Amino acid sequence: MDFTTRCIHGAVDKTHNTGAVSVPIYQSATFAHPGIGQSTGYDYSRLQNPTREHLEKVIANLEEGTDALAFSTGMAAITALMELFSIGDHIIASEDLYGGTVRLFDNINKKNGLDFDYLDTSDLAKLRSLIRKKTKAIYIETPTNPMMQVTDIQAVAAIAREYKLLVIVDNTFLTPYFQRPLTLGADIVVHSGTKYLSGHNDTLAGFLVTKETDLSEKLRFIYKTTGACLSPFDSWLLIRGIKTLAIRMKRQEENALKLAAFLSSQEKVKKVFFIGLPDHPGFEVSKKQASGFGSMISFEVDTEATAKQVLEKVSLILFAESLGGTETLITYPMVQTHADVPIADRLLRGINECLLRMSVGLEDADDLIEDLRQALS
């Protein structure tokens, strides 16, 4: 079945027989038992809810995994994921991660006894050199946020298999429409469902998708114990958003290609970070492991004054955090998404006062280009 069709019909809902085309919102905290020792399959919505279950089946289907768990936010998903590890465990992670993930790792997980090393995970020799006896997992974003570094998932997975390590991939930027890490050797996929999966900037959500049943069982136990499950109504919003995922991703990528070309031609733009440009270092790897380039663009302008001018002068494009929605958003990483990353680390990664990040939406590309043109003038 084609991916577009699976976005709409990716799971069969057998919980009702009304013929409703839209999955019902089961807005119930608890479920009655037919008798002692008997269950309808649902007991309490923290454990499972029919609306959330439908959504999870859709996500598992799209990522070609065995199970998906829907959380209240992307950070809630990563927080639960870290409960797989014990005091003293070591994790190797991409150095250019979303700032909230770095904040969690460095301020919560380290406090609780986990150890982290950060590097450009496209450097396979250096990655291998960091593996030690207590290493348990490799955590990567590809492409990364916001510098758009690309990691070869299959190559990392091959190294991980040698040392019996988990491979965890944050697939938020490309979604399963363009990239399916589990088919490339990853064990767990992470999503901020708030972004492209929802697609409308109207709800928060997160997902973990597993390749093997044993990981699913461990995470389900953590899930029901810690309790950061996605509500029935938010699950319904995600189900609705995913129905248009394929057509949104295709149009947004088309727009991004045009905007990246425009930005590359501008005198005040010094560098464009977009994996769809042939001169991007990860272009060939991207073509090998993904079917598209997505619609996230970062670009560096000539001065801090120019960066602030763009942020203040855009009118169609919105100066706001987040990404992946129908609206084009522009973000200032140094004061928004990565404000909590230590300054020295941030600058070392290229996140400076001249860097802007843009999530390209569904507007007409010419209108977006004109807005950027006047903002840069």
Side-chain angles (χ1 to χ4, degrees), residues 278-289:
D279 62 353
H280 187 283
F283 182 74
E284 293 301 328
V285 174
S286 293
K287 288 202 302 181
K288 181 185 76 168
Q289 68 186 16

Side-chain angles (χ1 to χ4, degrees), residues 44-57 67-73 76-84 205-210 215-232 234-235:
Y44 192 60
S45 275
R46 174 160 46 80
L47 280 69
Q48 191 53 286
N49 175 282
T51 312
R52 188 169 76 242
E53 181 180 48
H54 182 95
L55 168 64
E56 291 174 340
K57 288 179 178 178
D67 192 17
L69 294 79
F71 291 81
S72 55
T73 67
I78 300 172
T79 298
L81 171 65
M82 289 298 109
E83 293 300 325
L84 286 174
F207 294 94
L208 298 177
V209 191
T210 57
L215 276 175
S216 169
E217 291 173 351
K218 291 176 182 177
L219 287 168
R220 283 277 170 199
F221 180 82
I222 294 167
Y223 187 54
K224 75 175 183 179
T225 303
T226 56
C229 57
L230 192 62
S231 74
D234 287 338
S235 295

Side-chain angles (χ1 to χ4, degrees), residues 3 5-12 23 48 50-71 77 169-172 174-183 187-199 203-211 220 223 230 234-246 248-249:
F3 187 92
T5 305
R6 287 192 285 134
C7 285
I8 299 169
H9 301 286
V12 177
V23 175
Q48 191 53 286
T51 312
R52 188 169 76 242
E53 181 180 48
H54 182 95
L55 168 64
E56 291 174 340
K57 288 179 178 178
V58 171
I59 294 295
N61 184 307
L62 296 179
E63 282 286 6
E64 299 186 36
T66 59
D67 192 17
L69 294 79
F71 291 81
V169 179
D170 187 323
N171 198 31
T172 298
L174 291 185
T175 82
Y177 179 69
F178 284 133
Q179 180 174 266
R180 289 182 283 281
L182 297 181
T183 68
D187 299 289
I188 300 172
V189 165
V190 177
H191 279 284
S192 172
T194 308
K195 311 306 193 292
Y196 289 102
L197 295 180
S198 170
T203 191
L204 302 176
F207 294 94
L208 298 177
V209 191
T210 57
K211 185 176 183 179
R220 283 277 170 199
Y223 187 54
L230 192 62
D234 287 338
S235 295
W236 181 83
L237 285 174
L238 265 292
I239 293 167
R240 184 177 66 167
I242 288 167
K243 289 180 186 293
T244 60
L245 175 64
R248 285 188 285 106
M249 295 297 293

